[in-house]
Amino acid sequence: MSDETLLSSYSPSTDTDTLGKHMRQLVQLRWLAVLGQLLTILVTHYGFGVELPIQIMLGVLAGLVLFNALNEVALRFRHRVKTAELFIGLLVDMGTLTVQLYLSGGATNPFVFLYLLQVGLAAVLLAPSYAWALLGISTLCFLWLAEAGRPLDLPQDYHLGIHSYYVEGMLICLVLNAALLVVFINRINRTHREHDARLAELRQRAAEEEHILRMGLLASGAAHELGTPLATIAVILGDWRHMPALQADKGLEEEITEMQTQVQRCKTIVSGILMSAGETRGESSGETSVWEFFDDLSSEWASTRKIGEFSFGNHFGEDVDIASDTVLKQTIYNLLDNALEASPDWVGLEVYREDNMLLIRVIDRGPGFAKDIFNRLGQPYQSTKGRPGSGLGLFLVFNVARILGGQVKARNRSEGGAEINLRLPIEALHLKEA
């Protein structure tokens, strides 16, 4: 997946999740506007003694409440929001404001500057064409109010400064406009930051998946190529075992046996690679249990590695059926192999259950993680081994954990050594029904 594809798929104009968040914020802002209009109408009419057609104005406000309630219900039922719906919502807000202004002084009402809020929201939420359209509509509404609006019977008391009703109305309008813009734009910016963070995560995941795909193709090709030479070596070693000269030398016979064991291990690894790539040799994932899976895994791993001491503790509790997954098996092998390289004398493997999660803990007594490596765990080619191509084990572990819905945590132990905890949901390990 290219960056261009990601950008086109998750741009603000097409990301329905982002549009849904914008609509939800607009609905919340409209509830505040309803409350503000109600208080303004009541205070102006009963507090300041200004005669207003209060029944008609409250009826218009009731219509806005009904419209917003319908939007609220649609959002609760996960209605997919479109850009046109945001535009229509802002049009309804502008229409309601125009009617209220017409009934309360027309263009002379200081709250006429609330049109700026409508246009500002359109500029933030919508494409430029929609914003320019709302600007044109607000201009026409103002001109209509200037011609058809009914001026209020208020004294011309502008010389009183802050004690003037008109100046007080302008002050309230200014504070209201500014407060709503600050609150709403901050929320919009937070939504865009979350969107950008999600986009960056998708880019990183796409790069990692592309890297894994290349590795899988190379591994599958290498497995095919290694099949023939491994079979040839196995035949030669079998012939050597029957040679009288070599049978007489017990040391050479033991070495041939060890070589046959390692060749068989290589063939098993090759089969596992081909099976993981979908090129199975007639086998399919079978069903096993947590106890059986880890007992077999620990025995096989310890018997094929040269290690001083291997400590295995199964504290899972009541057994649970899971799939016999070669990918999970190789993932744990990667953790154990890394621990073995850091601590050849001792490696520990512990299995626990925490609610519905399987916890796999791998412990070693090595030097632990260096600080610069520790902060970049899970990224490819982050290793202290100094070999070309090293550092992919933990990278694959982190990706398998993410695919299965789990997580990986690592730490340096206070008593020395390192510890890696692989936490996986048990449900993800169940054998999938055909």
Side-chain angles (χ1 to χ4, degrees):
M1 184 182 295
S2 65
D3 288 351
E4 290 77 7
T5 304
L6 286 168
L7 285 170
S8 63
S9 301
Y10 292 91
S11 63
S13 61
T14 58
D15 188 352
T16 56
D17 183 57
T18 301
L19 290 176
K21 289 182 179 179
H22 290 340
M23 177 63 82
R24 190 170 293 106
Q25 291 166 352
L26 189 60
V27 167
Q28 294 171 355
L29 183 63
R30 191 175 290 120
W31 288 127
L32 294 176
V34 167
L35 180 60
Q37 289 185 37
L38 178 62
L39 291 176
T40 302
I41 293 171
L42 295 178
V43 170
T44 303
H45 184 75
Y46 294 106
F48 295 158
V50 178
E51 289 296 327
L52 296 174
I54 190 168
Q55 292 183 347
I56 300 177
M57 296 181 74
L58 291 179
V60 174
L61 197 58
L64 184 61
V65 169
L66 178 60
F67 175 77
N68 208 39
L70 293 176
N71 279 276
E72 187 85 49
V73 171
L75 288 174
R76 290 183 182 275
F77 283 95
R78 301 186 180 276
H79 171 66
R80 292 176 65 88
V81 178
K82 299 179 181 178
T83 306
E85 294 180 58
L86 288 174
F87 178 69
I88 292 173
L90 290 174
L91 273 181
V92 171
D93 293 335
M94 186 171 290
T96 304
L97 176 63
T98 302
V99 174
Q100 299 286 38
L101 291 173
Y102 170 76
L103 297 171
S104 58
T108 63
N109 191 316
F111 287 93
V112 73
F113 295 103
L114 286 175
Y115 281 129
L116 293 175
L117 178 63
Q118 310 292 334
V119 177
L121 293 180
V124 173
L125 296 177
L126 305 175
S129 57
Y130 288 107
W132 284 109
L134 274 179
L135 175 59
I137 294 171
S138 66
T139 303
L140 294 176
C141 289
F142 181 87
L143 293 174
W144 178 73
L145 289 174
E147 292 294 328
R150 297 182 293 181
L152 295 176
D153 185 15
L154 293 175
Q156 302 295 321
D157 56 357
Y158 308 123
H159 63 282
L160 297 178
I162 194 62
H163 300 291
S164 166
Y165 285 160
Y166 187 82
V167 174
E168 289 174 354
M170 290 189 65
L171 175 62
I172 295 173
C173 180
L174 171 65
V175 173
L176 184 62
N177 260 332
L180 291 177
L181 281 174
V182 168
V183 171
F184 197 76
I185 289 178
N186 279 336
R187 290 186 177 182
I188 293 297
N189 287 336
R190 184 170 67 247
T191 300
H192 282 307
R193 286 195 297 270
E194 292 173 356
H195 179 271
D196 291 341
R198 185 168 68 252
L199 182 59
E201 181 184 354
L202 288 171
R203 283 175 171 167
Q204 179 66 24
R205 186 175 299 180
E208 291 178 354
E209 289 176 353
E210 182 181 358
H211 189 80
I212 292 173
L213 177 61
R214 290 200 305 266
M215 290 170 53
L217 292 173
L218 290 173
S220 180
H224 278 295
E225 296 297 327
L226 288 172
T228 300
L230 286 175
T232 303
I233 294 173
V235 171
I236 293 174
L237 290 174
D239 293 339
W240 284 3
R241 286 186 63 89
H242 296 89
M243 295 177 63
L246 296 179
Q247 288 179 346
D249 192 328
K250 294 298 182 182
L252 284 176
E253 188 176 7
E254 291 178 0
E255 290 182 358
I256 292 174
T257 302
E258 177 64 21
M259 292 170 66
Q260 287 181 315
T261 302
Q262 296 302 325
V263 168
Q264 183 59 41
R265 178 188 167 196
C266 291
K267 293 173 69 176
T268 302
I269 293 173
V270 168
S271 297
I273 293 174
L274 293 174
M275 186 180 297
S276 299
E279 302 175 19
T280 60
R281 297 181 177 180
E283 302 97 348
S284 59
S285 293
E287 189 172 22
T288 182
S289 67
V290 173
W291 280 81
E292 182 181 358
F293 179 83
F294 282 96
D295 286 345
D296 293 344
L297 180 147
S298 59
S299 299
E300 181 179 337
W301 184 83
S303 64
T304 55
R305 271 72 170 175
K306 292 183 178 180
I307 181 172
E309 181 183 354
F310 176 58
S311 174
F312 171 61
N314 193 335
H315 312 290
F316 184 77
E318 185 178 354
D319 207 1
V320 173
D321 291 335
I322 61 173
S324 180
D325 190 354
T326 57
V327 174
L328 176 61
K329 181 178 179 182
Q330 188 59 49
T331 299
I332 301 171
Y333 272 11
N334 286 342
L335 292 176
L336 291 171
D337 288 340
N338 284 344
L340 178 61
E341 291 199 32
S343 173
D345 296 330
W346 186 89
V347 171
L349 171 64
E350 298 175 354
V351 181
Y352 298 90
R353 178 172 184 170
E354 295 182 355
D355 297 327
N356 294 322
M357 303 293 288
L358 169 65
L359 175 60
I360 304 164
R361 180 173 297 158
V362 177
I363 311 167
D364 65 61
R365 293 176 180 171
F369 293 105
K371 192 169 184 180
D372 57 334
I373 296 296
F374 189 81
N375 295 329
R376 299 194 302 271
L377 283 179
Q379 299 179 14
Y381 308 116
Q382 300 299 322
S383 174
T384 57
K385 300 172 186 177
R387 299 195 306 265
S390 62
L392 290 174
L394 280 178
F395 169 68
L396 295 174
V397 170
F398 272 78
N399 277 276
V400 170
R402 188 193 69 223
I403 292 171
L404 294 177
Q407 57 179 314
V408 183
K409 291 185 178 180
R411 71 182 183 94
N412 287 329
R413 295 163 59 87
S414 57
E415 59 269 33
E419 174 183 314
I420 292 186
N421 293 290
L422 173 60
R423 194 184 305 270
L424 301 172
I426 297 175
E427 182 180 359
L429 304 179
H430 289 163
L431 184 65
K432 299 296 185 295
E433 296 293 338

